[in-house]
Amino acid sequence: MGDNSVSSEDPSELQDVLDALDDPACRTILRETIEPMTANALLDACDIPKSTLYRKLELLSSASLVREQETINPGGGRVTYYERSFEDVTISMDDTGTFSVNVDRPPQSTDERLADIWSMMGDEV
């Protein structure tokens, strides 16, 4: 398949990544989200207040470091899982002094891509 890395010289995107990685609570969440976890599981694992968890998940999502995946709960409703969405982050500076960020992402299976599309469709409804 293709390369799933994302490279950006947009200063706002670079700053989003730097802000997320500089935050101790965000780093704790990233350590725990190797496998998909619900917010409740993250609350237990990270030992941070619920309001803080959701703010940090938003920061990580804005920086594209965590992805949300919604599934249908057999008992009804939806369940949201959070998972780290990168393998490596590289920040570099070129000869002109311009910083850039490169986020290497693992390849997604067809099921994962369909789940992302389904999740986006749910946001539109």
Side-chain angles (χ1 to χ4, degrees):
M1 276 215 176
D3 180 13
N4 284 327
S5 66
V6 174
S7 180
S8 174
E9 293 185 10
D10 180 356
S12 63
E13 291 180 29
L14 173 64
Q15 193 60 52
D16 287 346
V17 172
L18 293 174
D19 290 344
L21 295 176
D22 187 46
D23 188 288
C26 286
R27 291 193 306 269
T28 299
I29 293 167
L30 288 172
R31 279 191 286 277
E32 295 295 333
T33 54
I34 294 170
E35 296 293 324
M37 296 181 75
T38 64
N40 286 334
L42 281 168
L43 284 171
D44 293 338
C46 298
D47 193 32
I48 57 178
K50 189 175 191 175
S51 61
T52 300
L53 175 71
Y54 282 106
R55 280 196 320 274
K56 301 308 177 180
L57 285 169
E58 180 62 34
L59 180 60
L60 289 164
S61 292
S62 294
S64 298
L65 299 176
V66 166
R67 71 189 271 267
E68 296 178 29
Q69 183 175 356
E70 287 189 354
T71 61
I72 303 299
N73 186 349
R78 295 181 185 182
V79 177
T80 302
Y81 289 90
Y82 300 91
E83 182 177 23
R84 189 171 62 203
S85 64
F86 67 95
E87 291 179 342
D88 192 37
V89 174
T90 306
I91 299 167
S92 58
M93 183 172 64
D94 66 16
D95 293 340
T96 66
T98 301
F99 284 95
S100 64
V101 61
N102 184 54
V103 181
D104 292 324
R105 304 192 188 288
Q108 284 187 305
S109 70
T110 302
D111 290 343
E112 289 171 324
R113 289 192 304 273
L114 287 172
D116 285 347
I117 292 168
W118 176 256
S119 181
M120 287 185 286
M121 288 175 55
D123 291 343
E124 297 294 321
V125 174

